Every structure is written in structure tokens, then in C-alpha cells.
Amino acid sequence: MLADRLSIPSVLFLILAGIAVGPEGLNLVGLDSFGGPEPLSGIVGISVAIIVFEGAFHLKIDKLQQAPREAFRLVTIGALFTFVATATVVRFALGVPWSLSFLVGALLIATGPTVITPILNVISVRDQVGAALETEGIVNDVTAAILAVVIFDLAVLGDTGLTALLESFVARLGVGVLVGGVTAAVIWYLLKHLDLTPSNAVQNARLVVLIGAIATYGLAEAIAPEAGIAAVAAAGLILGNSDLPHEDEIEAFKGDITLIVLSFVFISLATLLSFSELVSLGLGGILVVVAVTLVIRPIAVLFCTYGERFTFREQLFMSAVGPRGIIPASVATLFALELRSTSPEQATVLVGSVFLVILMTVVFEGGFARHIAQALNVLPMRVIIVGGGRVGRGLAERLEDRGENVVIVDKEEDAVETARNAGFSAHQGDGTDTSVLKAAGIENAKIVAAATANDDANLLIAQLTNTNYDVETVIARVNTPGNVEAFEELGVRAISANDAIAHEMDNAIERPALSEWMTELGRSGDVQEIEVTSDRLVGKSIKELDEYLPDGVLIALVSRSGNSQIPTPELTLQRGDHLTFVGRRDAVHAAIERCHPNP
């Protein structure tokens, strides 16, 4: 509740609560509170299974397709680079054997849904950014868990070569995926064909999925240790994209259960944190944290997300938000308990280095994630464009150039595929269906643009939006001029395609210089409007503001109380004024950043 009130990811408060009630705080909870390491291991294992299953269940195919290349690079090249680079830093910074270094490197691959999802719940980044981070978190949780167990079994406890390590990794992963696929098919069959009592259908469906997730984990673990994480991830991904009955109720139920077990696991594991183990690492431990967060993570993200899909600011945000969570904490704790009898020094290094990275990344990256996003200006306005044709894509391109979070909705598969290939976030479905609009994120949208070639569809979309959702602006494309009045009666801003073309042609005939300038402005320039909300701007004159703005941008218009005027140098700005900037695209964007309340 505190996290929700302050719009700060909950994991920060959970880990601090665990420290507060643990041996380093009030000493109310410790390992003995759980009956020892084995009971805690079982409880944590089941809890993690539920968390990973729920995260995978929410990872829809449409979301995966928002940034497929970049997400694939992050979970392959990025994970491999993080693994090797982290192990190398641990080896030389802490002076430990390579076997232990690679074990720490494997654990610190994981970011995971337990830490990424709470951050994305309070920070509305573009869909492409969220999809890449969520996919990386879920897949790397699986990779880290299996790889760490394989290294521990074969390298730390024994002396086995690389070939055996790879074979064991692939075998566990294969067992997990196979078990997850089979159990997902069984759960799907039960929900689709079992004659559930209508009065208890929703409750029974939720329980079948929950029990199925736990059974999936237990069955895979019985076959191969740590294959359970891969199994529940595979089962969750399959079921989440299988059009289950009562899917909304299942998602809500799973979300509540996940919140409970997430809170329990974070607090319980944080109670095992020992400050003495962190301090014992000395400067080497600090070097590991700095290298992992400020060197290795940024290099991996910048390399894996190169291209036009992400802006440089978004890449920096993804680099700065990679907190570690449940998987490294739980697995490191269990390994350390096993190592204490044979190699207490290695156990101290293992727990100390892993928990130090977790603590620092959760506190600074998780706790300050919103501030990082605001500083980098990656909190866009969500815009839903219904219609993925040339008009819809053209509008989306202009809006995304300004950094807005645009989602295109179209019922035609070819149009959706074309939009995605062009780098846009696209959702397939009928835009006149409220469930489709909801899936596209209309509940968080500020603008909806109906841009199909069908006026009836555009009118219905406008009606649905105005009636059911709190959207600030609804804009509709009108293909037949005679229909403009019907749109305007609904309070919808109607843009007539014929009138717009006629106006543009008239400009080219009567005002050729102006027409040419506007065309050039559309190619390399920009026009943007902002509201004066910063205390630094209130009371400034236009002349003073001009000196503050970069070259290549002009204040073309000032709007106050519904009246617009071309500003004079002496005009003094008031709070709530709207300024229209005109100029080169980069200069306009720089001017907006300088006038932002929190630059």
C-alpha cells in the first residue's frame, strides 16, 4: 500500500522490511523461524514457481512481437556476456576460484519478473521497452536458475568439463520445457472440456490453474533439480496465450496470489542477510557492484538493442533498470547453506557478493526507477491509433518521433505485420470491440485516433471511447465530408480527409512559399506545444525565454484562457499558458526539455 501510494516499486519496501525484522534489525525472524534450510527451500521453491508462472502467463505473444530481435539478443548474447563478464570481475576483484566466480556470474544473469514487473507497474514506458525488459526477466530467471545449479553440481562440488556442463544445462532445460508443455495441455483440456458447475466455474478454473502450476513445478523438480522453473515458465507462456475460459478472473486471482508469495519470499530471504558478510568483501565487493551495474549492464543493453526501435534515452533507462531479485537470492542462500560445512569462506563470498548486488540494485535502481525515467524523459503519452493503413502508420511515425507510446490496432493480420516490421507496437483485433481496446491499453491512454477507411467504424470507436473510458482527446478520420457533423455532435475532433487534401492543394496554389515551408517543416522540423508549469518560466518575458532556448527554435504562439496571440518580446508568461514552438526537430525537442519542470 505504501509503494502504491508513493508510486515506488514494492520490492524496495519488502527487502527493507525483511532487514528490519531479521537478525540485523529487530531479530524477530531468522532461519530457525522456518524450521531450518530445507523447509525454507521448499516454501521458496513453490513461491518462486507461482511468481514465474504468473509472469509468463502475462507475457502475451503480441507483447513478445513488439521487440523480438532485441529481446532475443538480450536473453542470448546479453545473458552470455553478463555471465562471462561478471565472473571475470568477481574472479579478480575478490580473488576467488573460477568455479565460484562463474557460479556468482550465473546467478547475477537474472533480473526476473519479481523485480521488473513492480517497476513497470508504476512506470509507463513504451510497450517495446516493457516487452523487452519483461521477456528478458522471465527467460533469464530460467537461464540463471538452471545454469547456477549445473555449475554448482559439476564445477563447485566436482571437477567436470565444459561438455558435461552444457549437456546438463540442455537436459534440465529440455525436461522443464517438455513437462511444462504437457501439463499446460492437460490444464487447457480440463478448463475447456471439464463440465464445471456453473455457479463455481470461475473458482474452479482459478484453482485448476494454481494447482496445475504447483504440480508442474513439482513434477519437473522430481525429474531434474531446477527444471521446475523452466517448466512453469513454459506452462505459463502457453496457457497465457491459449484463450482460456475466465481468463480475466484467472489473471486477477494469480496476481493476488503472486503478491502474497512475492512479499513473503522477499521479506523472508532478506531476514537472512548479514551485514558482516557484505562488509567482509571490502573494496572488492564495491568494485563488483559498480562493474555489474555501471559497466556490464549498459554494454549488454546498448549492444543488444542497437537499431531504430529504441531511442538512446530508452537504452539508457534499460541499462539503469536491471535489479536482481528472487532467483539469485534464493538459490545463493541454499548453496551457501550447503557450502558452510566444507568451505565457509566460499559460502561467505557467494552470499555476500550476490546479496550486495541485489541490495544495491533494488534500493537504487528499483527505488529510483521513476526518477530515472523522468530524468531521461522516457515516460510517454499513450496513444491508441485504430487503423494500421498509410494514414495510421504516418500518424504513428510522427508521434513516435516525439517519443510518445503509440499502439496501432488493426483487425487485418497483414496490416499488423506491416506495422510491426516498421517498428511500431501493434495489436491485432477489431477496434470496435471494447475487449480489444482494453487489451491495447486504452484504460491508460490519453489520446485515441480512429484512422480507418470506414466512417461507421470510426464513429463507433469514438462513441465507445467517449462512453467507456476517460480519454482526454478523441480524434477521428472522416472519409466522407458529409459525415463530419455526426462526429462533431459527439464531441469528437473530426478530420476530413477530402478537406485536408483540398486545403493543402489550395496552399500550394495560393501560398506556394508557405506550402513549401510547411512541407520542409514536416521533413526536418517540428511544431510542439507545452503548458507552462515550471516555476522557472512563470514571470519570464518572451525575450528572456528566447535567450534561454537553443538556436533554431521560435515561440510562434502563446495561448492563454482560450485566446491565442503572436507574442511580443515584453509578454510575461503565466502559469497555465500554452507555448507553441516551431523550428528544427532537434531544437524543438531541446527547448521542450529545457522548459520541463524537472530537467
Side-chain angles (χ1 to χ4, degrees):
M1 292 173 63
L2 182 62
D4 184 60
R5 178 63 178 261
L6 299 177
S7 295
I8 294 175
S10 59
V11 290
L12 173 61
F13 297 103
L14 294 174
I15 200 168
L16 293 178
I19 295 173
V21 301
E24 299 293 342
L26 300 175
N27 197 23
L28 300 176
V29 182
L31 188 60
D32 292 339
S33 305
F34 306 102
E38 291 188 3
L40 178 60
S41 172
I43 298 171
V44 169
I46 292 175
S47 300
V48 170
I50 294 172
I51 294 167
V52 173
F53 180 88
E54 198 261 348
F57 192 86
H58 281 282
L59 195 60
K60 306 302 183 184
I61 295 298
D62 282 344
K63 183 176 288 187
L64 286 172
Q65 292 175 328
Q66 306 304 338
R69 295 188 303 272
E70 291 78 7
F72 179 76
R73 293 188 203 123
L74 283 171
V75 301
T76 52
I77 300 172
L80 180 61
F81 172 76
T82 301
F83 170 51
V84 175
T86 302
T88 304
V89 171
V90 171
R91 170 71 175 88
F92 292 104
L94 300 177
V96 296
W98 278 111
S99 57
L100 183 61
S101 300
F102 278 113
L103 179 60
V104 175
L107 289 171
L108 293 180
I109 291 173
T111 51
T114 58
V115 283
I116 291 299
T117 302
I119 290 174
L120 295 179
N121 284 342
V122 298
I123 299 175
S124 180
V125 293
R126 284 203 307 146
D127 286 355
Q128 290 93 328
V129 177
L133 288 174
E134 285 185 288
T135 305
E136 178 195 26
I138 291 171
V139 175
N140 282 357
D141 252 10
V142 175
T143 303
I146 296 177
L147 185 59
V149 169
V150 170
I151 292 175
F152 186 74
D153 289 346
L154 302 181
V156 176
L157 299 183
D159 186 16
T160 310
L162 179 63
T163 302
L165 190 148
L166 292 176
E167 288 177 353
S168 181
F169 176 82
V170 172
R172 281 179 164 90
L173 182 62
V175 168
V177 173
L178 179 61
V179 171
V182 171
T183 55
V186 173
I187 295 169
W188 177 87
Y189 180 84
L190 290 175
L191 293 177
K192 285 285 189 178
H193 301 286
L194 190 63
D195 186 19
L196 299 174
T197 305
S199 59
N200 296 322
V202 173
Q203 181 185 43
N204 290 336
R206 294 185 302 195
L207 292 176
V208 165
V209 173
L210 176 61
I211 295 169
I214 297 174
T216 299
Y217 175 78
L219 180 60
E221 285 290 304
I223 298 174
E226 293 306 320
I229 300 298
V232 292
L237 185 62
I238 294 170
L239 290 172
N241 291 277
S242 299
D243 190 26
L244 297 178
H246 315 296
E247 185 170 339
D248 290 342
E249 291 83 357
I250 291 172
E251 284 191 1
F253 174 70
K254 289 288 293 173
D256 292 339
I257 296 295
T258 298
L259 178 62
I260 294 171
V261 297
L262 174 65
S263 302
F264 167 79
V265 172
F266 253 113
I267 292 175
S268 60
L269 291 180
T271 63
L272 307 180
L273 184 63
S274 171
F275 288 160
S276 61
E277 292 179 335
L278 302 183
V279 174
S280 67
L281 299 178
L283 292 177
I286 297 175
L287 180 60
V288 170
V289 173
V290 171
V292 168
T293 56
L294 300 182
V295 180
I296 296 173
R297 174 69 179 175
I299 291 175
V301 170
L302 291 173
F303 179 78
C304 294
T305 59
Y306 72 88
E308 299 180 355
R309 194 179 298 272
F310 298 102
T311 66
F312 182 64
R313 291 176 179 273
E314 289 172 337
Q315 290 176 310
L316 291 180
F317 173 76
M318 295 170 69
S319 301
V321 179
R324 273 58 175 181
I326 289 297
I327 291 295
S330 57
V331 177
T333 300
L334 299 177
F335 288 167
L337 293 172
E338 190 169 347
L339 281 174
R340 287 194 193 281
S341 59
T342 58
S343 181
E345 291 184 359
Q346 288 195 12
T348 299
V349 171
L350 173 62
V351 173
S353 57
V354 171
F355 267 94
L356 187 60
V357 172
I358 293 173
L359 185 61
M360 292 297 101
T361 54
V362 167
V363 170
F364 290 102
E365 296 183 356
F368 293 96
R370 172 169 287 279
H371 299 85
I372 295 171
Q374 290 174 338
L376 293 173
N377 195 24
V378 294
L379 296 175
M381 174 175 61
R382 177 175 283 270
V383 181
I384 306 292
I385 299 176
V386 183
R390 288 191 297 270
V391 174
R393 294 199 305 274
L395 176 59
E397 182 178 1
R398 290 173 177 270
L399 291 171
E400 289 213 339
D401 280 346
R402 302 172 193 168
E404 307 300 353
N405 185 16
V406 180
V407 179
I408 294 176
V409 176
D410 200 292
K411 62 182 178 181
E412 298 297 333
E413 184 177 352
D414 290 343
V416 171
E417 189 67 25
T418 300
R420 286 175 179 163
N421 290 337
F424 300 117
S425 175
H427 184 86
Q428 186 174 358
D430 188 348
T432 62
D433 186 340
T434 54
S435 63
V436 172
L437 294 176
K438 183 179 179 181
I442 195 171
E443 292 175 326
N444 298 317
K446 291 187 177 181
I447 296 175
V448 171
T452 75
N454 186 320
D455 281 359
D456 290 336
N458 291 341
L459 186 60
L460 181 55
I461 293 164
Q463 286 178 313
L464 289 173
T465 302
N466 280 334
T467 303
N468 299 306
Y469 304 102
D470 184 21
V471 177
E472 292 182 3
T473 305
V474 180
I475 304 175
R477 169 187 175 184
V478 182
N479 301 282
T480 303
N483 293 336
V484 171
E485 186 176 346
F487 284 82
E488 292 180 342
E489 287 178 353
L490 290 173
V492 178
R493 176 69 184 277
I495 306 296
S496 171
N498 289 351
D499 289 348
I501 294 172
H503 181 69
E504 187 68 23
M505 295 179 72
D506 180 49
N507 277 338
I509 295 170
E510 295 295 329
R511 293 166 287 277
L514 176 63
S515 176
E516 184 177 344
W517 177 78
M518 293 181 68
T519 301
E520 182 61 29
L521 182 66
R523 294 195 187 102
S524 60
D526 202 357
V527 179
Q528 290 286 342
E529 181 180 308
I530 68 161
E531 182 179 354
V532 176
T533 58
S534 174
D535 292 334
R536 294 176 307 159
L537 299 187
V538 176
K540 278 186 176 290
S541 68
I542 294 296
K543 181 179 180 180
E544 290 174 323
L545 186 57
D546 274 337
E547 296 173 355
Y548 178 67
L549 297 178
D551 293 335
V553 61
L554 296 173
I555 304 172
L557 206 63
V558 175
S559 300
R560 179 179 298 168
S561 301
N563 298 316
S564 301
Q565 59 179 308
I566 297 174
T568 62
E570 293 76 23
L571 179 65
T572 301
L573 296 178
Q574 298 179 7
R575 185 176 298 277
D577 285 350
H578 284 249
L579 307 181
T580 300
F581 293 126
V582 179
R584 296 195 316 268
R585 183 174 287 111
D586 58 344
V588 170
H589 290 188
I592 292 173
E593 289 183 10
R594 292 189 185 184
C595 294
H596 193 274
N598 301 303

mmCIF file of all heavy atoms in Angstrom, residues 404-438:
data_model
loop_
_atom_site.group_PDB
_atom_site.id
_atom_site.type_symbol
_atom_site.label_atom_id
_atom_site.label_comp_id
_atom_site.label_asym_id
_atom_site.label_seq_id
_atom_site.Cartn_x
_atom_site.Cartn_y
_atom_site.Cartn_z
ATOM 1 N N GLU A 404 6.384 9.501 -28.076
ATOM 2 C CA GLU A 404 5.134 9.033 -27.476
ATOM 3 C C GLU A 404 5.018 7.512 -27.592
ATOM 4 O O GLU A 404 5.621 6.879 -28.455
ATOM 5 C CB GLU A 404 3.932 9.697 -28.158
ATOM 6 C CG GLU A 404 3.984 11.219 -28.215
ATOM 7 C CD GLU A 404 4.040 11.869 -26.846
ATOM 8 O OE1 GLU A 404 3.917 11.156 -25.836
ATOM 9 O OE2 GLU A 404 4.228 13.095 -26.782
ATOM 10 N N ASN A 405 4.200 6.922 -26.709
ATOM 11 C CA ASN A 405 3.975 5.483 -26.696
ATOM 12 C C ASN A 405 2.737 5.185 -27.538
ATOM 13 O O ASN A 405 1.606 5.356 -27.078
ATOM 14 C CB ASN A 405 3.782 4.992 -25.260
ATOM 15 C CG ASN A 405 3.662 3.483 -25.186
ATOM 16 O OD1 ASN A 405 4.010 2.785 -26.124
ATOM 17 N ND2 ASN A 405 3.180 2.983 -24.064
ATOM 18 N N VAL A 406 2.939 4.746 -28.757
ATOM 19 C CA VAL A 406 1.859 4.563 -29.723
ATOM 20 C C VAL A 406 1.577 3.080 -29.913
ATOM 21 O O VAL A 406 2.497 2.276 -30.074
ATOM 22 C CB VAL A 406 2.216 5.205 -31.084
ATOM 23 C CG1 VAL A 406 1.077 5.008 -32.072
ATOM 24 C CG2 VAL A 406 2.529 6.680 -30.907
ATOM 25 N N VAL A 407 0.294 2.721 -29.882
ATOM 26 C CA VAL A 407 -0.136 1.354 -30.169
ATOM 27 C C VAL A 407 -1.124 1.404 -31.331
ATOM 28 O O VAL A 407 -2.133 2.110 -31.269
ATOM 29 C CB VAL A 407 -0.801 0.702 -28.946
ATOM 30 C CG1 VAL A 407 -1.260 -0.715 -29.289
ATOM 31 C CG2 VAL A 407 0.141 0.679 -27.765
ATOM 32 N N ILE A 408 -0.812 0.683 -32.401
ATOM 33 C CA ILE A 408 -1.695 0.590 -33.564
ATOM 34 C C ILE A 408 -2.584 -0.640 -33.419
ATOM 35 O O ILE A 408 -2.099 -1.724 -33.075
ATOM 36 C CB ILE A 408 -0.882 0.502 -34.870
ATOM 37 C CG1 ILE A 408 -0.105 1.810 -35.103
ATOM 38 C CG2 ILE A 408 -1.787 0.211 -36.061
ATOM 39 C CD1 ILE A 408 0.799 1.770 -36.315
ATOM 40 N N VAL A 409 -3.871 -0.471 -33.669
ATOM 41 C CA VAL A 409 -4.827 -1.584 -33.614
ATOM 42 C C VAL A 409 -5.431 -1.774 -35.003
ATOM 43 O O VAL A 409 -5.905 -0.803 -35.614
ATOM 44 C CB VAL A 409 -5.951 -1.307 -32.592
ATOM 45 C CG1 VAL A 409 -6.981 -2.432 -32.610
ATOM 46 C CG2 VAL A 409 -5.377 -1.134 -31.195
ATOM 47 N N ASP A 410 -5.400 -2.985 -35.496
ATOM 48 C CA ASP A 410 -5.999 -3.281 -36.805
ATOM 49 C C ASP A 410 -6.420 -4.743 -36.811
ATOM 50 O O ASP A 410 -5.737 -5.597 -36.234
ATOM 51 C CB ASP A 410 -5.003 -3.013 -37.933
ATOM 52 C CG ASP A 410 -5.700 -2.825 -39.284
ATOM 53 O OD1 ASP A 410 -6.273 -3.813 -39.798
ATOM 54 O OD2 ASP A 410 -5.679 -1.703 -39.810
ATOM 55 N N LYS A 411 -7.553 -5.033 -37.467
ATOM 56 C CA LYS A 411 -8.049 -6.407 -37.479
ATOM 57 C C LYS A 411 -7.415 -7.257 -38.570
ATOM 58 O O LYS A 411 -7.538 -8.481 -38.552
ATOM 59 C CB LYS A 411 -9.571 -6.419 -37.631
ATOM 60 C CG LYS A 411 -10.096 -5.805 -38.911
ATOM 61 C CD LYS A 411 -11.625 -5.826 -38.918
ATOM 62 C CE LYS A 411 -12.190 -5.173 -40.177
ATOM 63 N NZ LYS A 411 -13.672 -5.185 -40.168
ATOM 64 N N GLU A 412 -6.730 -6.597 -39.518
ATOM 65 C CA GLU A 412 -6.102 -7.341 -40.604
ATOM 66 C C GLU A 412 -4.691 -7.755 -40.208
ATOM 67 O O GLU A 412 -3.872 -6.920 -39.790
ATOM 68 C CB GLU A 412 -6.045 -6.493 -41.879
ATOM 69 C CG GLU A 412 -7.403 -6.086 -42.414
ATOM 70 C CD GLU A 412 -8.247 -7.279 -42.840
ATOM 71 O OE1 GLU A 412 -7.645 -8.314 -43.205
ATOM 72 O OE2 GLU A 412 -9.482 -7.185 -42.806
ATOM 73 N N GLU A 413 -4.382 -9.033 -40.363
ATOM 74 C CA GLU A 413 -3.071 -9.549 -39.968
ATOM 75 C C GLU A 413 -1.950 -8.911 -40.778
ATOM 76 O O GLU A 413 -0.876 -8.603 -40.244
ATOM 77 C CB GLU A 413 -3.046 -11.074 -40.147
ATOM 78 C CG GLU A 413 -1.754 -11.719 -39.658
ATOM 79 C CD GLU A 413 -1.795 -13.235 -39.778
ATOM 80 O OE1 GLU A 413 -2.865 -13.777 -40.101
ATOM 81 O OE2 GLU A 413 -0.747 -13.868 -39.542
ATOM 82 N N ASP A 414 -2.184 -8.684 -42.086
ATOM 83 C CA ASP A 414 -1.145 -8.091 -42.935
ATOM 84 C C ASP A 414 -0.803 -6.676 -42.470
ATOM 85 O O ASP A 414 0.371 -6.286 -42.454
ATOM 86 C CB ASP A 414 -1.600 -8.054 -44.393
ATOM 87 C CG ASP A 414 -1.675 -9.451 -45.009
ATOM 88 O OD1 ASP A 414 -1.086 -10.381 -44.423
ATOM 89 O OD2 ASP A 414 -2.330 -9.602 -46.055
ATOM 90 N N ALA A 415 -1.835 -5.910 -42.098
ATOM 91 C CA ALA A 415 -1.594 -4.537 -41.645
ATOM 92 C C ALA A 415 -0.812 -4.532 -40.334
ATOM 93 O O ALA A 415 0.087 -3.698 -40.123
ATOM 94 C CB ALA A 415 -2.923 -3.805 -41.466
ATOM 95 N N VAL A 416 -1.139 -5.448 -39.444
ATOM 96 C CA VAL A 416 -0.425 -5.540 -38.166
ATOM 97 C C VAL A 416 1.030 -5.933 -38.400
ATOM 98 O O VAL A 416 1.954 -5.370 -37.792
ATOM 99 C CB VAL A 416 -1.121 -6.557 -37.239
ATOM 100 C CG1 VAL A 416 -0.275 -6.821 -35.998
ATOM 101 C CG2 VAL A 416 -2.499 -6.049 -36.847
ATOM 102 N N GLU A 417 1.246 -6.896 -39.290
ATOM 103 C CA GLU A 417 2.605 -7.340 -39.586
ATOM 104 C C GLU A 417 3.423 -6.220 -40.219
ATOM 105 O O GLU A 417 4.596 -6.022 -39.880
ATOM 106 C CB GLU A 417 2.552 -8.555 -40.522
ATOM 107 C CG GLU A 417 3.889 -9.244 -40.731
ATOM 108 C CD GLU A 417 4.395 -9.908 -39.461
ATOM 109 O OE1 GLU A 417 3.565 -10.240 -38.601
ATOM 110 O OE2 GLU A 417 5.619 -10.076 -39.339
ATOM 111 N N THR A 418 2.796 -5.450 -41.117
ATOM 112 C CA THR A 418 3.489 -4.321 -41.746
ATOM 113 C C THR A 418 3.878 -3.278 -40.696
ATOM 114 O O THR A 418 4.993 -2.737 -40.719
ATOM 115 C CB THR A 418 2.588 -3.668 -42.820
ATOM 116 O OG1 THR A 418 2.267 -4.638 -43.816
ATOM 117 C CG2 THR A 418 3.295 -2.486 -43.474
ATOM 118 N N ALA A 419 2.962 -2.991 -39.792
ATOM 119 C CA ALA A 419 3.242 -2.016 -38.728
ATOM 120 C C ALA A 419 4.385 -2.493 -37.836
ATOM 121 O O ALA A 419 5.269 -1.714 -37.472
ATOM 122 C CB ALA A 419 1.983 -1.763 -37.909
ATOM 123 N N ARG A 420 4.373 -3.762 -37.481
ATOM 124 C CA ARG A 420 5.442 -4.290 -36.629
ATOM 125 C C ARG A 420 6.786 -4.282 -37.344
ATOM 126 O O ARG A 420 7.819 -3.979 -36.739
ATOM 127 C CB ARG A 420 5.088 -5.710 -36.182
ATOM 128 C CG ARG A 420 3.995 -5.757 -35.124
ATOM 129 C CD ARG A 420 3.581 -7.171 -34.798
ATOM 130 N NE ARG A 420 2.552 -7.195 -33.754
ATOM 131 C CZ ARG A 420 1.785 -8.235 -33.500
ATOM 132 N NH1 ARG A 420 1.912 -9.345 -34.214
ATOM 133 N NH2 ARG A 420 0.881 -8.179 -32.534
ATOM 134 N N ASN A 421 6.776 -4.619 -38.617
ATOM 135 C CA ASN A 421 8.028 -4.589 -39.382
ATOM 136 C C ASN A 421 8.586 -3.176 -39.482
ATOM 137 O O ASN A 421 9.802 -2.995 -39.633
ATOM 138 C CB ASN A 421 7.808 -5.160 -40.783
ATOM 139 C CG ASN A 421 7.556 -6.660 -40.768
ATOM 140 O OD1 ASN A 421 7.939 -7.351 -39.816
ATOM 141 N ND2 ASN A 421 6.916 -7.184 -41.801
ATOM 142 N N ALA A 422 7.689 -2.190 -39.407
ATOM 143 C CA ALA A 422 8.134 -0.794 -39.437
ATOM 144 C C ALA A 422 8.587 -0.305 -38.063
ATOM 145 O O ALA A 422 8.981 0.860 -37.918
ATOM 146 C CB ALA A 422 7.006 0.094 -39.954
ATOM 147 N N GLY A 423 8.517 -1.181 -37.059
ATOM 148 C CA GLY A 423 8.996 -0.831 -35.729
ATOM 149 C C GLY A 423 7.942 -0.328 -34.771
ATOM 150 O O GLY A 423 8.268 0.123 -33.665
ATOM 151 N N PHE A 424 6.659 -0.425 -35.158
ATOM 152 C CA PHE A 424 5.591 0.071 -34.288
ATOM 153 C C PHE A 424 5.054 -1.046 -33.396
ATOM 154 O O PHE A 424 5.124 -2.227 -33.739
ATOM 155 C CB PHE A 424 4.439 0.645 -35.121
ATOM 156 C CG PHE A 424 4.829 1.784 -36.007
ATOM 157 C CD1 PHE A 424 4.723 1.686 -37.387
ATOM 158 C CD2 PHE A 424 5.316 2.963 -35.464
ATOM 159 C CE1 PHE A 424 5.091 2.728 -38.206
ATOM 160 C CE2 PHE A 424 5.683 4.014 -36.279
ATOM 161 C CZ PHE A 424 5.577 3.893 -37.649
ATOM 162 N N SER A 425 4.504 -0.650 -32.271
ATOM 163 C CA SER A 425 3.774 -1.581 -31.412
ATOM 164 C C SER A 425 2.379 -1.751 -31.996
ATOM 165 O O SER A 425 1.661 -0.763 -32.171
ATOM 166 C CB SER A 425 3.704 -1.027 -29.987
ATOM 167 O OG SER A 425 2.917 -1.855 -29.177
ATOM 168 N N ALA A 426 1.996 -2.981 -32.308
ATOM 169 C CA ALA A 426 0.718 -3.215 -32.994
ATOM 170 C C ALA A 426 -0.030 -4.360 -32.336
ATOM 171 O O ALA A 426 0.573 -5.334 -31.863
ATOM 172 C CB ALA A 426 0.945 -3.512 -34.478
ATOM 173 N N HIS A 427 -1.354 -4.235 -32.307
ATOM 174 C CA HIS A 427 -2.225 -5.227 -31.681
ATOM 175 C C HIS A 427 -3.294 -5.625 -32.692
ATOM 176 O O HIS A 427 -3.977 -4.763 -33.242
ATOM 177 C CB HIS A 427 -2.868 -4.641 -30.427
ATOM 178 C CG HIS A 427 -3.713 -5.608 -29.663
ATOM 179 N ND1 HIS A 427 -3.190 -6.456 -28.708
ATOM 180 C CD2 HIS A 427 -5.032 -5.882 -29.718
ATOM 181 C CE1 HIS A 427 -4.156 -7.198 -28.210
ATOM 182 N NE2 HIS A 427 -5.287 -6.865 -28.806
ATOM 183 N N GLN A 428 -3.455 -6.931 -32.927
ATOM 184 C CA GLN A 428 -4.445 -7.395 -33.891
ATOM 185 C C GLN A 428 -5.800 -7.572 -33.220
ATOM 186 O O GLN A 428 -5.918 -8.188 -32.156
ATOM 187 C CB GLN A 428 -4.012 -8.710 -34.528
ATOM 188 C CG GLN A 428 -4.949 -9.160 -35.650
ATOM 189 C CD GLN A 428 -4.419 -10.390 -36.375
ATOM 190 O OE1 GLN A 428 -3.352 -10.886 -36.070
ATOM 191 N NE2 GLN A 428 -5.185 -10.877 -37.343
ATOM 192 N N GLY A 429 -6.836 -7.015 -33.852
ATOM 193 C CA GLY A 429 -8.183 -7.143 -33.328
ATOM 194 C C GLY A 429 -9.076 -6.059 -33.898
ATOM 195 O O GLY A 429 -8.612 -5.096 -34.520
ATOM 196 N N ASP A 430 -10.368 -6.217 -33.686
ATOM 197 C CA ASP A 430 -11.358 -5.267 -34.173
ATOM 198 C C ASP A 430 -11.436 -4.087 -33.205
ATOM 199 O O ASP A 430 -11.815 -4.248 -32.041
ATOM 200 C CB ASP A 430 -12.721 -5.962 -34.291
ATOM 201 C CG ASP A 430 -13.762 -5.091 -34.965
ATOM 202 O OD1 ASP A 430 -13.518 -3.871 -35.140
ATOM 203 O OD2 ASP A 430 -14.830 -5.623 -35.331
ATOM 204 N N GLY A 431 -11.112 -2.905 -33.684
ATOM 205 C CA GLY A 431 -11.095 -1.712 -32.841
ATOM 206 C C GLY A 431 -12.455 -1.286 -32.336
ATOM 207 O O GLY A 431 -12.543 -0.429 -31.449
ATOM 208 N N THR A 432 -13.525 -1.855 -32.862
ATOM 209 C CA THR A 432 -14.865 -1.547 -32.357
ATOM 210 C C THR A 432 -15.263 -2.466 -31.201
ATOM 211 O O THR A 432 -16.368 -2.356 -30.681
ATOM 212 C CB THR A 432 -15.914 -1.672 -33.482
ATOM 213 O OG1 THR A 432 -15.935 -3.017 -33.968
ATOM 214 C CG2 THR A 432 -15.577 -0.736 -34.640
ATOM 215 N N ASP A 433 -14.370 -3.357 -30.811
ATOM 216 C CA ASP A 433 -14.603 -4.290 -29.704
ATOM 217 C C ASP A 433 -13.895 -3.748 -28.457
ATOM 218 O O ASP A 433 -12.683 -3.530 -28.464
ATOM 219 C CB ASP A 433 -14.060 -5.667 -30.079
ATOM 220 C CG ASP A 433 -14.399 -6.735 -29.035
ATOM 221 O OD1 ASP A 433 -14.698 -6.365 -27.888
ATOM 222 O OD2 ASP A 433 -14.335 -7.932 -29.377
ATOM 223 N N THR A 434 -14.647 -3.522 -27.383
ATOM 224 C CA THR A 434 -14.062 -2.944 -26.179
ATOM 225 C C THR A 434 -12.973 -3.833 -25.578
ATOM 226 O O THR A 434 -12.010 -3.323 -24.990
ATOM 227 C CB THR A 434 -15.143 -2.693 -25.112
ATOM 228 O OG1 THR A 434 -15.860 -3.907 -24.876
ATOM 229 C CG2 THR A 434 -16.106 -1.608 -25.560
ATOM 230 N N SER A 435 -13.108 -5.158 -25.712
ATOM 231 C CA SER A 435 -12.082 -6.045 -25.165
ATOM 232 C C SER A 435 -10.763 -5.880 -25.909
ATOM 233 O O SER A 435 -9.681 -5.980 -25.315
ATOM 234 C CB SER A 435 -12.538 -7.506 -25.231
ATOM 235 O OG SER A 435 -12.727 -7.920 -26.576
ATOM 236 N N VAL A 436 -10.844 -5.614 -27.200
ATOM 237 C CA VAL A 436 -9.628 -5.379 -27.994
ATOM 238 C C VAL A 436 -8.983 -4.060 -27.581
ATOM 239 O O VAL A 436 -7.765 -3.965 -27.412
ATOM 240 C CB VAL A 436 -9.965 -5.385 -29.498
ATOM 241 C CG1 VAL A 436 -8.749 -4.941 -30.326
ATOM 242 C CG2 VAL A 436 -10.421 -6.769 -29.935
ATOM 243 N N LEU A 437 -9.804 -3.027 -27.427
ATOM 244 C CA LEU A 437 -9.273 -1.727 -26.997
ATOM 245 C C LEU A 437 -8.646 -1.834 -25.604
ATOM 246 O O LEU A 437 -7.598 -1.223 -25.340
ATOM 247 C CB LEU A 437 -10.388 -0.685 -26.981
ATOM 248 C CG LEU A 437 -10.993 -0.315 -28.347
ATOM 249 C CD1 LEU A 437 -12.160 0.653 -28.168
ATOM 250 C CD2 LEU A 437 -9.931 0.307 -29.248
ATOM 251 N N LYS A 438 -9.269 -2.613 -24.739
ATOM 252 C CA LYS A 438 -8.727 -2.789 -23.390
ATOM 253 C C LYS A 438 -7.388 -3.507 -23.447
ATOM 254 O O LYS A 438 -6.438 -3.142 -22.740
ATOM 255 C CB LYS A 438 -9.720 -3.574 -22.536
ATOM 256 C CG LYS A 438 -9.279 -3.747 -21.095
ATOM 257 C CD LYS A 438 -10.327 -4.506 -20.294
ATOM 258 C CE LYS A 438 -9.868 -4.707 -18.847
ATOM 259 N NZ LYS A 438 -10.867 -5.462 -18.049
#
